[in-house]
Amino acid sequence: MTTFNPDLLPVLERIASALERLAPAALPANDLNAADAFVWHADRQWLEPIPQVNRVDITLLKGVELQQQQLFDNTLRFTRGLPANNALLWGARGTGKSSLVKAVHAAVNAATDGRLALVEIHREDIPTLPQLLTLLRAGGRPCILFCDDLSFDQDDNSYKSLKAVLEGGVEGRPKNVIFYATSNRRHLLSRQMIENEQSTAIHAGEAVEEKVSLSDRFGLWLGFHNFNQDTYFDVLRGYVAAFGLTISDEDLKREAVEWAMTRGSRSGRVAWQYIQDLAGRQGVTLG
């Protein structure tokens, strides 16, 4: 009969400790009721709760009133269990596309006692959509699945996964999930990507049709464009009033025009950047 050597105990303890360090960490639990907003971490299959979303109040979004009403109505219908469309918000950079999605989410939650969750998926994690949708389907809570700055470049075939998930797959989109995306491209694909398909395909028209049909999965298309000067000033005046900044209308116009000229555009993003500069100069914290 073999007897245990007590001298081996420290060695065994070190081996056990090393094995514990090498073992994969337990996957964090996913709870769709832990917050109103989440970020999907594909590597850990984890929905990270976001206690405070970086967004502006919907009343401060100017120049996009039509888009705002359409997206709000679509989202409210979805949250109440009625038919609604996936939405593509496309257009110029910095014109308030992602800001509108986050603001509408807050406004709809205010009207529905917080029923709706916002789940952000990064563009590079699109191939993991089936796993994410399985989690969201099981959770049961109405969810906006949101992808900011969605587009596809040459040799990127992950758009096919998105097509299947949105409408064409066997399971399709869960009833408690709606997909919202923002993009600088109306058809989500680069011109070079489409032209290359035309030049190499046997039936060029069919190849292009397959790629462009991705946009058709979005029943609601909302276009965004750079502001005219009057709208730009209206946006700035709204921020000034909301945050209690002190500046005359004449000085506001003069400074804001100069700010926009140095950046080559008038947009919601440029307006917000100017307001941050103004607030910093006045020692005002933007909540």
Side-chain angles (χ1 to χ4, degrees):
M1 181 177 183
T2 304
T3 58
F4 176 72
N5 185 350
D7 294 337
L8 293 178
L9 185 60
V11 176
L12 294 175
E13 289 177 344
R14 288 197 298 271
I15 293 174
S17 178
L19 290 174
E20 287 179 358
R21 290 195 298 270
L22 291 173
L27 294 176
N30 289 304
D31 180 5
L32 271 178
N33 295 310
D36 285 334
F38 303 83
V39 172
W40 171 241
H41 295 277
D43 56 340
R44 291 183 286 168
Q45 302 282 290
W46 181 44
L47 290 166
E48 178 190 2
I50 306 299
Q52 185 172 355
V53 178
N54 178 27
R55 58 181 158 211
V56 299
D57 190 89
I58 197 168
T59 60
L60 295 177
L61 298 178
K62 306 294 184 182
V64 291
E65 286 78 9
L66 178 60
Q67 298 94 320
Q68 175 182 310
Q69 191 62 55
Q70 288 181 296
L71 192 64
F72 177 85
D73 290 344
N74 189 70
T75 308
L76 186 61
R77 288 193 295 267
F78 164 72
T79 307
R80 290 174 171 169
L82 298 172
N85 281 305
N86 300 313
L88 174 63
L89 291 71
W90 65 274
R93 295 186 300 273
T95 48
K97 300 183 293 294
S98 60
S99 295
L100 182 58
V101 172
K102 291 182 285 187
V104 162
H105 167 246
V108 168
N109 259 357
T112 60
D113 296 323
R115 290 194 62 212
L116 182 64
L118 178 68
V119 178
E120 182 173 13
I121 181 172
H122 297 136
R123 180 255 166 277
E124 60 269 20
D125 292 330
I126 288 294
T128 68
L129 266 174
Q131 297 97 302
L132 174 55
L133 290 179
T134 297
L135 287 174
L136 298 183
R137 180 185 282 110
R141 185 179 181 184
C143 297
I144 297 174
L145 183 53
F146 173 49
C147 186
D148 193 21
D149 197 21
L150 179 63
S151 62
F152 299 93
D153 295 315
Q154 189 174 2
D155 300 325
D156 184 350
N157 289 320
S158 59
Y159 74 91
K160 295 181 178 179
S161 300
L162 180 57
K163 280 178 61 176
V165 163
L166 288 179
E167 296 252 350
V170 174
E171 290 184 291
R173 173 169 57 89
K175 291 182 179 180
N176 66 315
V177 177
I178 198 166
F179 191 87
Y180 287 178
T182 69
S183 180
N184 298 332
R185 300 169 180 168
R186 185 173 184 177
H187 291 294
L188 302 175
L189 311 167
S190 67
R191 182 179 298 275
Q192 181 184 14
M193 189 177 184
I194 295 176
E195 289 175 349
N196 285 346
E197 285 293 328
Q198 285 180 310
S199 64
T200 59
I202 297 176
H203 300 289
E206 292 180 2
V208 173
E209 181 66 23
E210 179 191 358
K211 292 181 178 293
V212 172
S213 68
L214 172 60
S215 302
D216 294 339
R217 266 55 178 187
F218 297 88
L220 182 60
W221 285 18
L222 301 175
F224 291 72
H225 310 282
N226 283 321
F227 297 156
N228 60 35
Q229 187 157 280
D230 288 341
T231 301
Y232 178 59
F233 290 151
D234 285 344
V235 170
L236 291 167
R237 292 188 187 105
Y239 283 137
V240 166
F243 298 117
L245 303 177
T246 304
I247 188 171
S248 69
D249 201 58
E250 181 180 350
D251 287 342
L252 177 68
K253 289 181 178 179
R254 177 179 53 79
E255 290 187 8
V257 166
E258 181 179 350
W259 188 273
M261 289 179 63
T262 61
R263 282 146 187 82
S265 70
R266 291 185 297 262
S267 68
R269 179 176 297 159
V270 170
W272 178 246
Q273 290 168 346
Y274 167 74
I275 289 298
Q276 289 187 100
D277 179 78
L278 177 62
R281 287 187 274 128
Q282 295 188 3
V284 175
T285 300
L286 302 178

